[in-house]
Amino acid sequence: MKKLIECVPNFSEGNNMDIIKQITNEIESVEGVRLIDVDPGKATNRTVVTMVGTPDEVCEAAFRAVKKAAELIDMSKHSGAHPRFGATDVCPLVPVANITMEETVDYAHKLAKRIGEEAGVPVYCYESAARTPERKNLAVCRAGEYEAVKDRIGTEQWKPDFGPSAFTPAVAKSGVTAVGARNFLIAYNFNLNTTSTRRANAIAFDVRERGRTLREGNAATGKIVTDEKGNPVMTPGTLKATKAIGWFIEEFGVAQISMNMTDLTVTSIHKAFDEVCAKAQARGIRVTGSELVGVVPLQAMLDAGKHYLRMQERSTGIADREIIKIAVKSLGLDELYPFDADKKIIEYILEDKNQKKLVDLNLTQFVEETASESMAPGGGSISAYMGAMGAALGSMVANLSAHKPGWDERWEEFSDWAEKGKSYHSKLVHLVDEDTNAFNKIMDAIRLPKGTDAEKTARAEAMEEATKFATMVPFQTMELCLGCMDVCKAMAEIGNPNSITDAGVGALAARSGVLGAFMNVKINAADLQDKAWAAGIIAKGQAIVDKAVALENEIVAMVNAKI
């Protein structure tokens, strides 16, 4: 599971497309990073760029872009409607998948340090990356904008976190940059069956975190209530980490509530949708659908789909694409235009569509490729595929059991088993291609030069490392296949009796995956120089084989007794 982060740098140029293209070319020059969006604004004289990828690669792309912007943009001549204080005004990093905010902050600090030291651009760290509490707020860091940098940068209070602390000619040209770490921001709109902006605003005020101004008497026209400092007293809305307002969309002829969601861990997409629906209904209005602006993390869509499946008392142990369909239909994301998951979900956008993968072949193609003269797929890939099919059969029985008439009160029990089975077969499907990749690593090591003693040593070390990797891949297959058998056993014991043979076949397939993968463990381990490590992994593998064979006998006996 790759770690993914988003980076949304804002560059102080929105009119000269040649400059913008030179900057984005730097981003596109880094492998492992996908340029998602480039949004120039003429009035603001500012371009917002969105890129996504693995953390090290995103930071490299961000550094190159910041450095190029400092070379091309002269802040002493810049003007625009948006607050700004640098050629790269802000450069936030956002955790997307399989990475914590703490890790993202570490990357932000490393990026900020590099920008300061190598590009010579002063950097303030803000939001979650702030090194002092007062710098958490971007507006405080940027107070007075570019015009105030000259006087602020040399003070003890506003000395940059990284980079120069003097207003040199180079700094006068580049300005300063704010590097931060923040949560993923979702722009989410709700479509209403009304044309009234006022009614849409009322619902927005009901739900947004800030809420509405408290008034005496009439909620719309009464006197505003103030605190002891003379500030208006606010009645908070029901959804934390949200901002919202109502507006009318001329194109579609309906009013919408436009919401920014700043922390999905606090308020999820489905929680926001359900709450807006409830508040709208209380005012005699219906939410007819919704619209996600920009991109969204996969997990947010899966969480939404599973939420609505649970409301229907349906199993959540189904394919991700099917869960996403449930989310789209439940949230009405296809009301205004089709929702294309491959263009809206970050992880799907990042998939390399040109990469040839075995698991993308249909069954006939896979069999024919196996039978061909090519060495892939080989026994390791087939073992993983058998295990995946075994796990899929276990999930199938669990899903059928969850939906069996008369067993409604047990849907959650079987849903949990289906989820376990899905987890196993998803990981095993990945190992189908990973086994081939492991073989390729060995071949790459074999091709390394061996003309000098140093080259021979490096080649031998690469061979050993690649062989250990090629041994661990089938060992992982063994472990996962054994786990599959637990799902199949449970389904043979408590699952839908009409599908008991499916559970039995699943167990047979998973056991075959264990035994087949063990052959690959042994043959690869035999080439290792580290004999102690090789002996240890083979001993562990044999223990897994013994458990799998015993479990197979138990499951087969159980199935035969019930047929």
Side-chain angles (χ1 to χ4, degrees), residues 186 188 190 207 239 242 259 261 263-278 287 290 292 296-311 323 326-333:
I186 294 285
Y188 190 28
F190 304 85
V207 298
L239 295 176
T242 64
M259 179 180 288
M261 305 174 66
D263 191 343
L264 290 176
T265 65
V266 175
T267 296
S268 62
I269 290 173
H270 54 274
K271 180 179 180 181
F273 183 82
D274 289 351
E275 183 65 8
V276 171
C277 285
V287 175
S290 63
L292 279 168
V296 62
L298 172 62
Q299 193 59 52
M301 292 298 293
L302 295 179
D303 289 345
K306 288 181 180 182
H307 167 73
Y308 293 110
L309 282 167
R310 292 188 186 103
M311 288 182 68
I323 295 173
I326 295 294
V328 170
K329 289 300 179 185
S330 300
L331 300 169
L333 289 171

Side-chain angles (χ1 to χ4, degrees), residues 399-426:
N399 283 321
L400 288 170
S401 302
H403 205 48
K404 179 177 169 59
W407 286 20
D408 292 339
E409 73 283 355
R410 301 179 65 188
W411 75 268
E412 197 165 8
E413 172 190 5
F414 289 115
S415 177
D416 289 343
W417 280 111
E419 285 261 22
K420 289 179 183 178
K422 178 189 173 184
S423 174
Y424 286 127
H425 71 66
S426 295

Side-chain angles (χ1 to χ4, degrees), residues 198 213 215-224:
R198 180 184 164 198
T213 305
R215 296 176 181 270
E216 295 178 0
N218 190 287
T221 61
K223 181 182 177 182
I224 294 175

Side-chain angles (χ1 to χ4, degrees), residues 241-289:
T242 64
K243 302 173 183 178
I245 193 170
W247 58 18
F248 180 75
I249 305 299
E250 192 76 38
E251 180 182 0
F252 301 111
V254 297
Q256 275 189 337
I257 296 168
S258 176
M259 179 180 288
N260 280 344
M261 305 174 66
T262 58
D263 191 343
L264 290 176
T265 65
V266 175
T267 296
S268 62
I269 290 173
H270 54 274
K271 180 179 180 181
F273 183 82
D274 289 351
E275 183 65 8
V276 171
C277 285
K279 296 302 184 186
Q281 186 174 6
R283 292 180 177 273
I285 294 170
R286 188 167 65 87
V287 175
T288 60

Side-chain angles (χ1 to χ4, degrees), residues 3-8 53-56 58-59 91-112 125-130 179-184:
K3 293 181 178 181
L4 296 176
I5 62 173
E6 180 186 59
C7 182
V8 193
T54 43
D56 287 325
V58 165
C59 288
C91 187
L93 301 182
V94 183
V96 173
N98 308 310
I99 187 169
T100 65
M101 178 56 77
E102 290 73 20
E103 291 174 292
T104 307
V105 167
D106 287 341
Y107 280 108
H109 288 161
K110 291 175 185 175
L111 174 61
C125 294
Y126 75 106
E127 285 276 1
S128 295
V179 174
R182 61 166 173 80
N183 286 307
F184 195 92

Side-chain angles (χ1 to χ4, degrees), residues 228-401:
E228 63 278 4
K229 295 181 179 179
N231 298 317
V233 174
M234 304 299 295
T235 301
T238 54
L239 295 176
K240 298 288 187 182
T242 64
K243 302 173 183 178
I245 193 170
W247 58 18
F248 180 75
I249 305 299
E250 192 76 38
E251 180 182 0
F252 301 111
V254 297
Q256 275 189 337
I257 296 168
S258 176
M259 179 180 288
N260 280 344
M261 305 174 66
T262 58
D263 191 343
L264 290 176
T265 65
V266 175
T267 296
S268 62
I269 290 173
H270 54 274
K271 180 179 180 181
F273 183 82
D274 289 351
E275 183 65 8
V276 171
C277 285
K279 296 302 184 186
Q281 186 174 6
R283 292 180 177 273
I285 294 170
R286 188 167 65 87
V287 175
T288 60
S290 63
E291 174 190 20
L292 279 168
V293 181
V295 295
V296 62
L298 172 62
Q299 193 59 52
M301 292 298 293
L302 295 179
D303 289 345
K306 288 181 180 182
H307 167 73
Y308 293 110
L309 282 167
R310 292 188 186 103
M311 288 182 68
Q312 300 170 22
E313 298 188 346
R314 297 290 306 278
S315 173
T316 56
I318 58 177
D320 286 355
R321 294 274 182 171
E322 293 302 311
I323 295 173
I324 291 167
K325 285 182 184 178
I326 295 294
V328 170
K329 289 300 179 185
S330 300
L331 300 169
L333 289 171
D334 54 357
E335 182 191 18
L336 300 181
Y337 44 79
F339 182 91
D340 188 342
D342 291 319
K343 294 180 180 178
K344 298 292 286 185
I345 296 176
I346 292 172
E347 287 85 344
Y348 292 169
I349 293 170
L350 292 175
E351 286 181 354
D352 186 354
K353 305 298 191 295
N354 296 319
Q355 182 184 4
K356 183 181 178 183
K357 293 195 295 185
L358 293 170
V359 293
D360 290 335
L361 301 175
N362 64 39
L363 189 57
T364 299
Q365 291 169 333
F366 188 88
V367 170
E368 289 174 350
E369 184 66 25
T370 303
S372 71
E373 293 178 347
S374 68
M375 299 187 70
S381 294
I382 299 301
S383 297
Y385 216 140
M386 286 191 293
M389 295 302 292
L393 279 169
S395 289
M396 181 191 82
V397 178
N399 283 321
L400 288 170
S401 302

